[in-house]
């Protein structure tokens, strides 16, 4: 499918100049206007009343970077990965993590799109910008983003273009991406396509005393071992085609789209590296048709409408049919076992789940008068998960075989007023969160034999918020925002994944009081510029949904932590000399504590007011970038070096046990470097990068080592009918 899309794009763009030569007279001026409007959009987003960081996608397109690495370098952000390409990852913003951080693409929630169409697989050259909201999130996004939101806005170039890139790196890692658009200004007909392929063997080395290597009985073997991962390969392919009309008198957008994606990967470990799997595999595919209609000044002047509807089908299969048990050398140590998952409870399985989701998103905005707008957003998702096991031997798959349901309806109403000639902006909103769920458990129900029990839950709650920004002049901003928010459990948390995460039907929605304050200062110095930003945050959370510790069988389930308080400070500084230099640095200190005084049994909680387990307190990033100015007919070279620091932290509660012998995630201090050479006209560029230059052991999670030194080279080609720097 993707090869056909890629071939079509290449062929169409070779003949496109001939096809459109009579329609492009106005494109250069239009293209220049788009560049100016894009810059204005970035500035408008930065000046909203909520805490937001904006990443300009144009600055990323020549870099061989994935979205996780880009966002991990932002203040207040932490992206934890369990391994190499395709591994599980978790975002943390100002102390709130996991599913409390939501992901959107062009205003549409991504949580039902499966693992292949995840944020980290989206190539950077299809991104216009990334907006990161910390804590308080605008009602316009229409989600239950209690801890913050990452919003990816894809490119909306009005002209025809082709953008293709390919990279090769260590561990036989390949990333290929192509995106293109064919636009006819006279009719507004638009045809666009993008796709990407990611592959990695992920056969990097793991070593050191902190790597637990188990014998055939699961007991750790003492000593310093060095092995390569061997069942951790990852392949993902995704393609999307859109067709319709844009920029017409009757529609800003009317687009039909079709998205298809597929992934296949090995499962090497359980919750830690003490559980070794040599034959377990996982496959997943997504199929999603959708339609979108958007129009400003719809029916009456000042009314804006944006409607989206989609049907998606996600199918995931966990294949555990092996008869052998392996050690880290990849050798068989035991034969004749009944699968590898779940330790002594292992039973062969070929479990497949299928999620059918119906999704509708509606946004209405109306400008009451100059500077005063009101908007309404509703997001409805109805998911049914069905499971099957062709072998039907594993007891643990029984709850997943029968249908389970999760339905959500989230709405938000907001009002924004700009006062004092735009120097003071206020926004107030109210949100409604409602869900119903049916989840299964295979357990004892008062009898002597296990039976399938269905738990039905239904919840409805409200949230309110307020944000304000004061701009004394063009170079200063003072922001404050507060929100009483809720977050509903997601399908994976409530229904499990049929793999290493069990279902948790008794989960309760999260609630949190979030507050942010920030001061932003821009100091222009002619050809130079200095930007300073400092902020404080406070979170008071109840019923935090948290992935519990793994059990003896390598599985875990989500649980609620009743009360949690998070507060902290973040600061960043950026210096730019437009001729040749950019320097930036940021740091975050966060204090996250357990504020539950009593346990569920009524006893005094011995870890009351303790720092939150498995969470760092200090993070910092810095980057230096040198470049030669871009000029007509001249080459451009860009060189960068950056560093990332994360303070060491305990896996379990810090106050319990002897600190000298406690399990901890070690301190991380990693450096990356890269160089980009752009050919004249910037149509083609080559980038060489090296991550983790000193080949250090890197851990985001306990006993799950990430790749060491990683070198790669990328080539990118860009063509458009409008000639300007890309």
């Amino acid at each position: 499918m993707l090869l056909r899309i890629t071939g079509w794009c290449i062929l169409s763009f070779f003949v496109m100049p001939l096809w459109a030569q009579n329609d492009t007279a106005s494109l250069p001026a239009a293209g220049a206007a788009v560049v100016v409007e894009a810059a204005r959009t970035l500035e408008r987003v930065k000046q909203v009343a909520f805490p937001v960081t904006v990443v300009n996608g144009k600055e990323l397109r020549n870099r061989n970077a994935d979205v996780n690495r880009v966002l991990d370098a932002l203040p207040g952000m932490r992206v934890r990965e369990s391994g190499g390409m395709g591994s599980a990852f978790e975002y943390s913003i100002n102390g709130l993590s996991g599913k409390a951080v939501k992901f959107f693409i062009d205003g549409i929630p991504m949580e039902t799109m499966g693992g292949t169409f995840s944020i980290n697989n989206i190539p950077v050259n299809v991104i216009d910008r990334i907006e990161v909201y910390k804590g308080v999130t605008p009602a316009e996004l229409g989600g239950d983003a209690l801890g913050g939101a990452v919003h990816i806005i894809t490119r909306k170039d009005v002209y025809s273009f082709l953008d293709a890139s390919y990279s090769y790196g260590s561990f036989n890692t390949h990333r290929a991406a192509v995106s293109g658009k064919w636009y006819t200004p006279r009719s507004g007909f638009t045809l666009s396509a993008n796709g990407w392929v990611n592959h990695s063997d992920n056969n990097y080395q793991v070593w050191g005393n902190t790597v637990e290597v188990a014998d055939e009985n699961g007991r750790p073997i003492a000593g310093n071992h060095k092995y390569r991962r061997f069942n951790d390969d990852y392949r993902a392919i995704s393609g999307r085609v859109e067709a319709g009309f844009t920029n017409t008198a009757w529609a800003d957008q009317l687009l039909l789209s079709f998205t298809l994606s597929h992934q296949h990967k090995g499962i090497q470990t359980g919750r830690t590296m003490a559980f070794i799997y040599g034959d377990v595999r996982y496959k997943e595919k997504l199929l999603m048709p959708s339609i979108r209609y958007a129009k400003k000044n719809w029916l009456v002047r000042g009314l804006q409408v944006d409607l989206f509807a989609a049907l998606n089908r996600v199918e995931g299969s966990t294949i555990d049919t092996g008869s052998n048990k392996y050690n880290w050398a990849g050798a068989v140590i035991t034969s004749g076992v009944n699968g590898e998952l779940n330790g002594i409870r292992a039973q062969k399985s070929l479990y497949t789940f299928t999620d059918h989701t119906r999704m509708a998103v509606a946004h209405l905005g109306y400008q009451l008068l100059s500077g005063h707008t009101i908007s309404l957003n509703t997001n409805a998702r109805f998911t049914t998960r069905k499971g099957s096991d062709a072998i039907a031997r594993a007891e643990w798959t029984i709850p997943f075989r029968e249908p389970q349901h999760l339905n959500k309806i989230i709405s938000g109403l907001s009002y924004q007023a700009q006062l004092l000639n735009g120097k003071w902006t206020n926004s107030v909103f109210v949100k409604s969160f409602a869900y119903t769920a049916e989840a299964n458990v295979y357990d004892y129900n008062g009898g002597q034999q296990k039976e399938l029990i269905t738990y039905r839950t239904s919840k409805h709650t409200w949230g309110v918020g307020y944000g304000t920004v004061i701009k004394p002049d063009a170079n200063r901003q003072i922001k404050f925002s507060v929100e009483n928010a809720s977050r509903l459990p997601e399908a994976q948390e409530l229904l499990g994944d049929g793999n290493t995460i069990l279902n948790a039907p008794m989960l309760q929605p999260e609630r949190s009081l979030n507050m942010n304050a920030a001061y932003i200062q821009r100091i222009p110095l002619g050809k130079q510029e200095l930007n300073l930003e400092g902020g404080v945050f406070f979170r008071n959370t109840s019923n935090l949904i948290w992935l519990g510790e793994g059990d003896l069988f390598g599985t875990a389930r989500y649980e609620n932590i009743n009360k949690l308080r998070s507060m902290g400070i973040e600061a960043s500084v950026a210096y730019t000399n437009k001729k040749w230099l950019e320097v930036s640095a940021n740091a975050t200190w966060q204090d996250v504590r357990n504020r539950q005084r009593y346990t569920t049994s009524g006893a005094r909680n011995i870890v009351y007011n303790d720092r939150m387990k498995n969470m760092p307190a200090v993070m910092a990033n810095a980057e230096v970038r040198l470049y030669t100015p871009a000029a007509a007919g001249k080459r451009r070279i860009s060189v960068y070096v950056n560093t990332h620091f994360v303070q060491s932290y305990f896996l379990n509660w810090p106050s319990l046990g002897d600190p000298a012998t406690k399990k901890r995630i070690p301190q991380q201090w990693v450096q990356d470097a890269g160089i980009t050479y752009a050919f004249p006209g910037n149509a083609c560029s080559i980038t060489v990068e090296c991550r983790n230059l000193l080949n250090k052991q890197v851990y985001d999670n306990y006993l799950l080592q990430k790749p060491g030194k990683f070198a790669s080279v990328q080539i990118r080609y860009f063509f458009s009918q409008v000639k300007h720097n890309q």
Side-chain angles (χ1 to χ4, degrees), residues 123-389:
V124 294
N125 55 340
V126 307
I127 296 174
D128 178 72
R129 67 183 185 275
I130 306 174
E131 302 170 1
V132 179
Y133 294 92
K134 302 174 182 179
V136 183
T137 306
E140 288 79 5
L141 280 181
D144 52 342
L146 176 141
V150 177
H151 186 199
I152 291 181
I153 293 87
T154 58
R155 297 172 63 168
K156 301 295 187 295
D157 309 63
V158 298
Y159 47 82
S160 301
F161 73 93
L162 173 68
D163 197 334
S165 65
Y166 169 76
S167 71
Y168 174 76
S170 304
F171 322 124
N172 194 30
T173 300
H174 304 261
R175 299 177 72 104
V178 60
S179 62
K181 184 175 184 177
W182 191 348
Y183 173 68
T184 54
R186 290 182 179 177
S187 67
F189 177 73
T190 302
L191 182 63
S192 64
N194 61 66
W196 59 86
V197 178
N198 295 335
H199 169 87
S200 180
D201 289 347
N202 282 329
N203 58 340
Y204 59 91
Q205 288 187 325
V206 293
W207 69 92
N209 293 325
T210 58
V211 176
E212 285 188 0
V213 181
D215 62 17
E216 64 273 15
N217 297 315
R219 293 188 296 263
I221 302 174
N224 194 328
H225 308 274
K226 196 167 190 176
Y227 299 101
R228 283 194 178 275
R229 299 177 72 101
F230 60 91
N231 183 40
D232 199 30
D233 57 293
Y234 176 79
R235 297 185 297 277
I237 181 172
S238 183
R240 185 179 186 183
V241 178
E242 283 187 323
F245 296 87
T246 59
N247 304 311
T248 69
W250 47 273
D252 296 333
Q253 291 184 63
L254 177 59
L255 295 171
L256 292 171
S257 68
F258 186 83
T259 303
L260 179 69
S261 63
H262 179 268
Q263 69 169 327
H264 186 193
K265 65 180 180 179
I267 299 177
Q268 171 87 74
T269 67
R271 304 303 302 172
T272 73
M273 293 174 65
F275 299 92
I276 313 301
Y277 309 136
D279 291 321
V280 182
R281 310 291 296 179
Y282 179 74
K283 297 190 296 184
E284 184 182 284
K285 53 188 177 183
L286 163 73
L287 178 66
M288 187 176 78
S290 64
I291 184 172
R292 186 163 200 160
Y293 173 79
K295 182 70 175 74
K296 295 179 180 178
N297 297 319
W298 180 64
L299 300 180
V300 296
R301 184 174 181 83
L303 179 61
Q304 177 181 349
V305 61
D306 191 346
L307 306 174
F308 175 87
L311 299 173
N312 74 36
R313 181 180 184 272
V314 177
E315 180 181 285
S317 300
T318 301
I319 306 166
D320 182 21
T321 57
S323 301
N324 300 318
K325 183 180 290 187
Y326 297 81
N327 63 16
W328 266 105
V332 176
I333 58 176
T334 305
S335 298
V337 300
N338 291 317
E340 299 176 85
L341 296 174
N342 292 284
I344 61 175
R345 296 184 305 184
Q347 293 174 294
K348 291 185 179 181
S349 67
L350 188 58
Y351 173 74
T352 298
F353 75 85
T354 304
D355 284 356
H356 292 275
T357 300
R358 294 162 291 159
M359 182 192 312
V361 179
H363 174 78
L364 295 173
Y366 182 64
Q367 184 171 338
L368 302 172
L369 48 97
S370 179
H372 296 259
T373 58
I374 187 170
S375 64
L376 173 66
N377 190 292
T378 297
N379 181 334
R381 281 162 285 164
F382 307 95
T383 299
T384 297
R385 171 168 293 187
K386 297 180 180 180
S388 63
D389 190 337

